[in-house]
Amino acid sequence: MTPPAGPIGVIGAGAVGQTVAACLMAGAWCQEVRVASGSARSAAALVADLEDMQQVLGSPGGVGASTPDGMANCAAVVVCPRARFTNTATSDVRMAGLTANAPVLAQLARALAGYAGAVIVVTNPVDVMTRLFTEVSGCQRVYGIGSNTDTARYRLALARFLDVPVDTVAYCPETRGASHSLRRCRVGRCQLVVSGCGAG
């Protein structure tokens, strides 16, 4: 069995942060889960839940509250905070968080400037936030989950529309956003051009 990674940081204790931290703990992916949040209270609450999970599952890893500054020696950091705002958008809903989330990501990027581990950005709009974090932090290993997630959604939607197994639909390069078009998708041995498919 592959030994678990070193500590992994999770920044953001909302729904996404809770899910990521719980998966890390349940799957014994790392030696320790470190949780940071804009609210010390929400970080402490998530840590308490993870400690309960640790006891129930007998997970070997540790868990504790931290700050972004305290994650310098983590093997990876998952960045998933969400600023307080009401999303009233009816289309291109992921872009609605740009104005609110950008200052939060920039502040975190400055706190993690020069960090040598992998940074996984989850905060929406993911592609923009990933670029912002990379440019402000100077970190060399910054990844956004957006393209992979949307590709999976598009593959599933196309497979349902064509009534074929999803594993016959090949990877479709794309960019997130409602104006996006899929191009040169491969379904089995056939190559298709599908246009006008929005992220929704």
Side-chain angles (χ1 to χ4, degrees):
M1 180 178 177
T2 303
I8 294 182
V10 177
I11 302 177
V16 174
Q18 291 170 22
T19 301
V20 170
C23 288
L24 290 170
M25 179 62 67
W29 283 71
C30 56
Q31 297 170 359
E32 180 186 11
V33 178
R34 296 182 186 171
V35 178
S37 175
S39 161
R41 183 176 179 180
S42 63
L46 178 51
V47 167
D49 288 344
L50 294 172
E51 288 173 337
D52 292 343
M53 176 183 285
Q54 180 185 27
Q55 293 302 313
V56 170
L57 298 178
S59 299
V63 59
S66 183
T67 63
D69 294 339
M71 296 182 179
N73 69 333
C74 286
V77 175
V78 181
V79 178
C80 52
R82 182 187 186 276
R84 289 184 176 271
F85 73 98
T86 301
N87 191 341
T88 59
T90 57
S91 63
D92 218 359
V93 294
R94 296 182 187 96
M95 286 300 292
L98 177 60
T99 302
N101 288 330
V104 176
L105 266 288
Q107 182 179 3
L108 290 173
R110 287 188 288 271
L112 289 167
Y115 170 69
V119 178
I120 298 90
V121 178
V122 186
T123 301
N124 280 320
V126 175
D127 291 341
V128 180
M129 295 298 102
T130 301
R131 180 169 182 174
L132 172 65
F133 191 99
T134 302
E135 292 180 350
V136 174
S137 70
C139 295
Q140 298 300 306
R141 298 167 59 205
V142 183
Y143 308 94
I145 65 149
S147 294
N148 188 49
T149 302
D150 271 356
T151 295
R153 290 182 182 132
Y154 284 127
R155 288 182 65 206
L156 182 59
L158 195 56
R160 286 177 176 165
F161 179 76
L162 297 173
D163 194 25
V164 298
V166 70
D167 61 1
T168 65
V169 182
Y171 174 77
C172 306
E174 48 81 18
T175 300
R176 291 163 68 90
S179 61
H180 165 68
S181 294
L182 292 179
R183 299 181 187 277
R184 297 182 184 176
C185 296
R186 185 173 295 281
V187 179
R189 295 183 179 182
C190 300
Q191 188 165 343
L192 304 176
V193 175
V194 184
S195 62
C197 294

